[in-house]
Amino acid sequence: MTGWIAFGTTDIGLLRERNEDAYALDGALGCYLVADGMGGHRGGDVASATARDAALNTLRAGAERLADDPAAGLARAICAANAAVHHAAGRDPALHGMGTTLSLLWLGDDGEAAAAHVGDSRIYRLDGERLTQITVDHTQAEALVGAGYMTREEARHSPAGHMLTRGVGLDAGVEVDAFAVDAAAAHAFLLCSDGLTGMVADDAIASILRGHAGDPAAACEALIDAAITGGGHDNVTVVVVYRRER
Ligand code: CA
C-alpha cells in the first residue's frame, strides 16, 4: 500500500464545446498527470490524450529505474509525449499546430518526490496551512513577472496570462522543467488545468484542500464546483493526492 491516496476528475465547464483536458493516475507507479490541449477546430483533445498515453507508456516501461532519477525519468516521459504529439500533428493536416501542456508528479514511498512540466497546468503542494505552487507557468505573463515588468496580480488578469511560451508537440524538441520536490512535510498535492486557477483563487483552493483532507474525491468535487461557480469559462481538471493517515 502506498503512502498516498488520490483521485482525479474533469469537467467541460459552461462555455466550451469540447473537453480538451486529460489526466491520469497510476498509484502503483506513483505518477499523476494533467494535460490541457490546444488546437484549432480540432486537435486539442487529441493532443492531450496522445501526450498522456505516450507519457504513461514511457513511465511504465521505465518503472523499475524511475526511483533512481525520477526527475530525469519524468522529463524523458514528457519528451516522448512531445515526439508523439508532434508526429501525429505532422501526419494529419487537420491536426496541424496542435499542442498541449503536460504536468507530471511522482511520489515515492520513502518520501522522495519529483515533478516535470511544460505549460501552465500547475502543481501545488499543501504543507499544513500553506499552499505553494511548485511549478512556474510557461506563459508570457509569467515571463514579464520574472523580468519585473508586471506584478503577479496584474499577470492574473492579463491576456498574456493565457499565452504559452512552451507547449508539448509544437516543435520537434521541447524544453522541460524537471526537478526534485520536497514532500517531507506535504499533506497533499494538487495538479490542475488553468480552468481551475483562472476561476478560483489560491486561498480558496487551499481552504478546499484542507477541508476535505483524506478524501480526494470530495476535494475534487468541491474544486470543480468552485470553478463552475466562478464562471466555468474553461475545461477544468483536477488531480488531488493526500498523504494517507497512518
Ligand atoms: Ca485550459
Side-chain angles (χ1 to χ4, degrees):
M1 190 163 79
T2 71
W4 302 92
I5 179 170
F7 192 82
T9 191
T10 186
D11 192 281
I12 193 170
L14 300 177
L15 300 182
R16 298 293 172 92
E17 286 182 2
R18 90 183 78 226
N19 192 339
E20 299 187 322
D21 288 356
Y23 70 96
L25 307 81
D26 187 326
L29 197 60
C31 286
Y32 309 93
L33 169 165
V34 166
D36 177 352
M38 60 206 133
H41 180 59
R42 53 181 286 238
D45 52 340
V46 178
S48 59
T50 301
R52 174 195 60 203
D53 296 347
L56 277 180
N57 287 339
T58 303
L59 290 166
R60 286 169 180 158
E64 284 164 20
R65 295 184 317 269
L66 189 55
D68 297 342
D69 189 347
L74 297 183
R76 268 196 302 278
I78 293 185
C79 288
N82 187 77
V85 174
H86 190 62
H87 183 69
R91 265 190 328 227
D92 182 348
L95 300 177
H96 187 74
M98 71 173 175
T100 184
T101 72
L102 184 56
S103 294
L104 293 175
L105 175 69
W106 174 81
L107 297 174
D109 282 337
D110 54 2
E112 272 200 293
H117 82 112
V118 169
D120 65 350
S121 297
R122 294 177 178 174
I123 305 176
Y124 289 91
R125 179 183 59 211
L126 184 74
D127 311 301
E129 294 292 303
R130 195 158 55 99
L131 186 73
T132 308
Q133 182 184 340
I134 62 171
T135 51
V136 175
D137 297 350
H138 297 142
T139 59
Q140 293 195 357
E142 188 58 41
L144 291 169
V145 171
Y149 292 113
M150 200 183 259
T151 66
R152 185 146 284 116
E153 187 53 27
E154 285 168 344
R156 196 172 143 72
H157 303 288
S158 162
H162 300 287
M163 296 167 75
L164 295 184
T165 52
R166 300 186 209 174
V168 166
L170 301 177
D171 292 301
V174 67
E175 185 186 353
V176 178
D177 285 0
F179 45 89
V181 172
D182 181 3
H187 295 92
F189 286 91
L190 164 70
L191 297 87
C192 60
S193 63
D194 67 341
L196 177 72
T197 49
M199 297 288 117
V200 186
D202 282 8
D203 57 354
I205 292 173
S207 152
I208 289 170
L209 289 175
R210 285 194 300 264
H212 294 281
D215 188 347
C220 285
E221 189 183 341
L223 289 167
I224 297 278
D225 284 351
I228 299 298
T229 305
H233 292 177
D234 197 359
N235 309 143
V236 51
T237 301
V238 291
V239 173
V240 172
V241 191
Y242 282 117
R243 187 181 292 281
R244 212 183 274 277
E245 300 295 332
R246 295 177 194 276

